[in-house]
Amino acid sequence: MESQTSLQELTKLSHTYYERQWMYATAGNLSCRAGDVFWITASGKHKGELNEKDFVCVSVGDGSLVSAREGLKPSAETSIHQVVYSQISDSGAALHVHTLDSNLLEFGVGKEEGFRDFPLPPIEIIKAFGIWDEKPNLTFPVFYNHTHVPTIASEIKRYIETKGKPQVPFLLIEGHGPTVWGKTVAEANKHLEAVHFLLQVMARRI
């Protein structure tokens, strides 16, 4: 029942994000965790028309397919969600979108470099992450946009293993878009809205 409710929430958010122009056509992917498995949007599904049957079930442990309706296969970015769930124990939902500002921002992360931390503007919206410090000195990780998505996932895992969990509940793939997480779908959505505003501010400060 809990998983069904989460899928209903994700379906509604998919339509909302499409209307906001955060998930054009089949772009982006949404998921929620249920113990040792997670449900993620199937590959090639139009996000403005998504329904609760357009999700597949995947193992948190190794990213293998557990179950899917005939003809459905996991999103191409399933490996990124799998790393989030396997490396961040309290993550219960993960959302990945392609906003305009996240694609306009340029960070210059090199292919061999893989990732780099960048400062966040210490503005009020950061309280959405549960951080109440006055003018906090925070960074977020930006990853090189490898064509081979599992390579991005491996870099995210390497980041967490070497540097720990990011200071804020999101990461950015340069020229691609943010991935956020939260304990619940509602919390992840709150984080995503805050991230969208932060990236808008950053894009306009250039």
Side-chain angles (χ1 to χ4, degrees):
M1 182 64 71
E2 185 176 343
S3 296
Q4 187 65 29
T5 300
S6 294
L7 292 181
Q8 291 172 352
E9 291 179 281
L10 290 179
T11 299
K12 291 178 181 178
L13 286 178
S14 178
H15 300 164
T16 298
Y17 297 161
Y18 176 75
E19 292 171 359
R20 291 178 182 174
Q21 301 180 348
W22 293 3
M23 297 177 79
Y24 277 117
T26 62
N29 32 82
L30 312 174
S31 69
C32 60
R33 182 174 183 169
D36 294 331
V37 300
F38 64 95
W39 293 87
I40 187 167
T41 43
S43 179
K45 292 297 179 179
H46 194 290
K47 299 311 186 296
E49 303 170 357
L50 199 75
N51 64 61
E52 295 159 37
K53 297 179 180 179
D54 294 329
F55 290 82
V56 300
C57 187
V58 178
S59 167
V60 169
D62 60 9
S64 61
L65 181 65
V66 175
S67 65
R69 291 172 63 88
E70 185 176 356
L72 297 185
K73 61 180 182 179
S75 163
E77 288 155 335
T78 297
S79 57
I80 293 175
H81 291 248
Q82 186 268 332
V83 168
V84 168
Y85 291 127
S86 64
Q87 300 298 311
I88 302 174
S89 59
D90 63 349
S91 57
L95 314 173
H96 171 65
V97 299
H98 298 187
T99 64
L100 179 60
D101 292 292
S102 67
N103 279 268
L104 289 174
L105 286 164
E106 296 182 2
F107 298 92
V109 177
K111 186 173 185 177
E112 297 303 320
E113 181 182 18
F115 56 77
R116 197 190 318 160
D117 283 316
F118 289 87
L120 276 175
I123 58 178
E124 190 77 7
I125 199 70
I126 284 175
K127 289 179 180 177
F129 304 140
I131 298 170
W132 297 89
D133 299 341
E134 184 176 336
K135 295 190 179 299
N137 182 21
L138 298 170
T139 62
F140 71 104
V142 179
F143 292 82
Y144 182 84
N145 187 16
H146 295 276
T147 302
H148 186 241
V149 177
T151 300
I152 302 174
S154 295
E155 291 287 67
I156 295 170
K157 183 178 181 182
R158 181 168 71 91
Y159 177 96
I160 295 173
E161 289 178 341
T162 57
K163 306 191 69 171
K165 186 171 70 173
Q167 292 180 314
V168 287
F170 83 97
L171 58 88
L172 182 67
I173 301 169
E174 188 167 8
H176 190 160
T179 297
V180 309
W181 52 87
K183 295 181 179 67
T184 63
V185 173
E187 184 178 72
N189 176 61
K190 179 181 69 172
H191 293 165
L192 179 56
E193 292 185 351
V195 168
H196 176 59
F197 185 76
L198 281 163
L199 296 178
Q200 282 186 311
V201 171
M202 293 176 68
R204 283 152 181 76
R205 286 184 174 182
I206 294 175

